[in-house]
Amino acid sequence: ILWISGKLFKNNNRIVKKTGSVLYAIMDFSKYKILFVKAFTICISIQVMRVLVCYVVALAIGAPVEMKYFFLFIPIIFFILMIPVSIGGFGIREGASILLFSSVGMHQSDAFMMALLTSCALVLYSLPGGILFVVRGLLKRKIIKEI
């Protein structure tokens, strides 16, 4: 992989170094195979759940698109969301959904509504974890101040 990245990016030494550091970090996990498999399984499960949430939302609004397109498009959309050009990916998610899903027959308004409802669903099912995180932080501060 380092050889390939060296050939592809021979003019950009920074990318080659970054690729090497990522590979060495992955190799460090070779001692922890079971932990790596568990973490990988959790990551894949989360991605599949994201796809299924989008698919169920599309079914709920009556948008007839095959599930294979969701497994193809949703990872692309979430990858696009990593580009830091908006707050929370709003607008980017909807635009990418309209662009991709309208190409396979979904109406643009259905694609927009699916993206908007999916983002609401993701916020709602993440909210309990966020609340727990804040409460735990406040409790730790209170305990530390008392000590």
Side-chain angles (χ1 to χ4, degrees), residues 138-147:
L138 292 175
L139 288 175
K140 283 183 180 179
R141 279 189 185 169
K142 185 177 179 181
I143 291 170
I144 291 173
K145 284 183 181 178
E146 291 178 0
I147 294 177

Side-chain angles (χ1 to χ4, degrees), residues 89-108:
F90 288 105
I92 306 298
R93 178 185 301 109
E94 289 77 13
S97 296
I98 290 169
L99 179 73
L100 294 172
F101 283 105
S102 65
S103 69
V104 293
M106 184 185 281
H107 195 272
Q108 290 181 350

Side-chain angles (χ1 to χ4, degrees), residues 67-83:
M67 186 182 270
K68 66 183 178 184
Y69 294 116
F70 286 88
F71 278 99
L72 178 65
F73 294 153
I74 299 302
I76 294 170
I77 292 169
F78 276 96
F79 183 74
I80 291 170
L81 287 177
M82 291 191 303
I83 302 170

Side-chain angles (χ1 to χ4, degrees), residues 12-72:
N12 195 339
N13 202 19
R14 195 170 130 204
I15 292 176
V16 176
K17 285 181 181 178
K18 193 67 165 171
T19 304
S21 67
V22 168
L23 286 174
Y24 292 130
I26 290 171
M27 287 190 296
D28 284 343
F29 273 99
S30 64
K31 298 177 260 181
Y32 308 103
K33 289 181 176 89
I34 294 173
L35 179 65
F36 184 77
V37 169
K38 286 180 182 180
F40 184 77
T41 304
I42 290 170
C43 291
I44 294 296
S45 300
I46 289 170
Q47 299 310 315
V48 169
M49 286 190 303
R50 283 182 173 178
V51 171
L52 293 176
V53 165
C54 292
Y55 181 69
V56 168
V57 168
L59 288 178
I61 62 174
V65 175
E66 294 181 48
M67 186 182 270
K68 66 183 178 184
Y69 294 116
F70 286 88
F71 278 99
L72 178 65

